[in-house]
Amino acid sequence: MTEPYGQAESRAYRPAWLKWTPFLGRPPALTRRQWQVLGLVGAASFFELYDLFLFSLSLKQIQQELGIPEDQLGRLGALVRFGALPAFVITLLADRVGRRRVLLVTILAYTLLTGATAFAPDARTFVILQFFARTFAVAEALLAVVVIVEEFDPSVRGWGIGALGAIQAAGVAALLFTQVDLLPFGWRSLYFIGFGPLLILAYWRRALPETDRFTAHAESRSRQTSVLRPFVDLARMYPGRFVALAAVVFLLELAESPAGFFGPKYLQDVHGWAPASIGLLTFFGGALAVMGNTVAGRWSDQWGRRRVTMIFIAGQIAFTIAYYNLFGWALMPLWIVMVFMIMGANVTLKAYGAEMFPTSYRSTAVGMRVVIGTLGGSFGLLLESELYSTMGSHWGAISLLAAAALVCPLIVAGC
C-alpha cells in the first residue's frame, strides 16, 4: 500500500527559491509536495505579516497625521487587535469546507483591506479597515500553520512551522519604512503597496492543493455535522489541556502586545532614532533574530516541544524587560535577542498547541487559541493605557505587564 501524505516520494528535491533563504539553515529531507506547500503558504504569509508590522512601524507617523492623543494609542491598538476575534469563525469554517478554499479567500480579503487603508481619511476609518484586515490576516496565518502541520511528518513539523515563521519576517516592511519620510504620501504609500498579492493570487488559486489529511477526514465525516460541532467536542473532550494552553497564550499576549506595539515609537521618542535607523535595525537585526524560528523548530523536534517552549518563553519575558529598561550600546543586541526569543516561543507554542488535538479539531483549536491571544493582547493594550496615566510612562507600564507573564514557563512545565 502506498504511504499517505507523500511520504513515499523522493526527498532529494530542493526548490530553486531555497538559495534565497539562507536563514533557514540546513533543511531536513522533504518531499516535492512538502516544499511546494511551504513555498506557497510562506509566500502568502509573507504579505500578511507585512500588513501587521506596518502599523507598529508607522505608529508615530500615523498618530501625527490622524491626530491621535498620546493616552489613546493603547486603546486604538486594542481596537485593531480585537479584529483577530472573528478569525475564529473563519477557522471553524475551514474545518468544514477545507483549508485551501478558505485560505485563498483570506488572502484576497486582507490584501484589499490593507490597500484600502492607504486612503483612510481619519482615525475611525483607519481602525475599521485595520480591524477587518487583522481578521483575515490572522485567519490566514492560522490556516497556514494548520496546512504545515497536516502536510509535514511529525519529525520535521517543528522545523516546517519555524521555516514558515522565518519566511514571514518583516524585512520588506522594515526596508520600505526607512523611506517613509521621503515617500510622496508617507505611511500611506506603504499601505498602498499591500495591493501586491493580487498580482499572484491567480497562480496560488491553481497551485495550492488541499491537504491530504483534510481530504481523508472529509470523506469519512458525516455530511450532517454542524459547523459548530468541532468547537463543542473540543470543549467537552480536551478541557484540561486547552485551559493550560489558553492561560499561557493569554498572559504572553498581555505582555507582548504592548511591547511590540510601542517598540518603534520607543526608539524614536526615548532614544531619538530616525525612521531610517529603525528600518535598518529591523531589516539587518531581524535577519539574525529570524533564525529563532528555525532554531526553535529544530530544537523542539530534537528535544521536545515542552522543554524548548519553556526556554524560549522565559527568554522572551526576560529580554523584553531588559530592552525597555537599559540604554546605550546594549540596546541593539537586546532587541535582536528579544525578537529571537519571541519568534522561537511563537513557533514552539504553535507546534505544541496544534499537536495537542486531532485533525478534526485542529483548525478549531488554533482558532480558539487566537481568540484567547486576542483577548490577552487587547486587554494588555487597554491596561497599558491605564497604567500610562498612572505611571506617566509607556515603558514602565510595559515592563510591569511583562513581569506578569513570568508564571508562563511554570504552567508549561505542568502541562
Side-chain angles (χ1 to χ4, degrees), residues 51-331:
D51 172 73
L52 297 185
F53 266 85
L54 272 188
F55 188 21
S56 177
L57 284 170
S58 305
L59 178 61
K60 185 176 179 68
Q61 289 72 28
I62 295 170
Q63 176 192 10
Q64 290 175 344
E65 182 172 337
L66 300 183
I68 303 169
E70 192 72 30
D71 62 352
Q72 295 297 310
L73 286 174
R75 294 184 178 90
L76 182 144
L79 288 173
V80 172
R81 178 83 186 200
F82 272 123
L85 288 177
F88 171 59
V89 178
I90 298 175
T91 59
L92 281 177
L93 188 62
D95 272 340
R96 179 66 179 173
V97 303
R99 318 321 190 191
R100 177 184 179 276
R101 187 182 307 174
V102 178
L103 192 61
L104 292 172
V105 171
T106 62
I107 295 169
L108 176 63
Y110 80 67
T111 296
L112 293 174
L113 290 162
T114 298
T117 302
F119 305 98
D122 51 43
R124 177 178 296 180
T125 306
F126 177 91
V127 168
I128 292 173
L129 289 170
Q130 280 295 287
F131 177 96
F132 288 107
R134 180 66 61 103
T135 297
F136 291 101
V138 169
E140 186 279 327
L142 291 172
L143 291 174
V145 171
V146 171
V147 169
I148 294 296
V149 169
E150 294 184 347
E151 287 291 322
F152 279 51
D153 310 321
S155 60
V156 295
R157 193 172 286 159
W159 184 90
I161 295 175
L164 177 64
I167 294 171
Q168 290 174 340
V172 173
L175 204 57
L176 292 174
F177 181 69
T178 64
Q179 306 300 309
V180 69
D181 291 335
L182 302 177
L183 292 171
F185 300 102
W187 62 269
R188 295 180 184 275
S189 295
L190 300 180
Y191 276 99
F192 186 78
I193 294 171
F195 279 123
L198 289 179
L199 301 177
I200 54 177
L201 184 62
Y203 173 75
W204 286 334
R205 180 175 59 83
R206 294 192 301 269
L208 184 65
E210 182 58 83
T211 69
D212 284 339
R213 290 181 186 272
F214 177 82
T215 301
H217 166 67
E219 291 174 354
S220 62
R221 181 192 59 201
S222 169
R223 294 183 178 273
Q224 303 301 317
T225 301
S226 166
V227 71
L228 293 178
R229 182 61 180 269
F231 168 69
V232 175
D233 289 346
L234 178 69
R236 179 174 58 86
M237 298 177 66
Y238 307 99
R241 63 179 68 176
F242 184 77
V243 167
L245 182 65
V248 172
V249 171
F250 182 89
L251 290 172
L252 276 182
E253 288 297 330
L254 181 80
E256 180 51 37
S257 184
F261 184 66
F262 285 99
K265 180 176 169 61
Y266 169 67
L267 291 175
Q268 292 175 86
D269 287 357
V270 176
H271 300 283
W273 285 40
S277 300
I278 297 172
L280 290 173
L281 171 65
T282 305
F283 184 79
F284 290 106
L288 296 174
V290 75
M291 290 188 293
N293 290 281
T294 50
V295 168
R298 191 178 292 275
W299 285 0
S300 70
D301 286 336
Q302 295 175 346
W303 302 332
R305 312 290 189 217
R306 180 186 301 174
R307 181 185 306 175
V308 177
T309 299
M310 291 171 58
I311 292 172
F312 276 89
I313 288 177
Q316 170 183 337
I317 298 166
F319 282 99
T320 296
I321 295 173
Y323 173 73
Y324 278 101
N325 288 277
L326 297 179
F327 297 85
W329 65 268
L331 201 60

Side-chain angles (χ1 to χ4, degrees), residues 355-373:
E355 290 180 338
M356 285 182 172
F357 309 99
T359 299
S360 55
Y361 307 127
R362 195 163 283 149
S363 286
T364 303
V366 297
M368 280 300 296
R369 184 162 57 85
V370 83
V371 169
I372 299 299

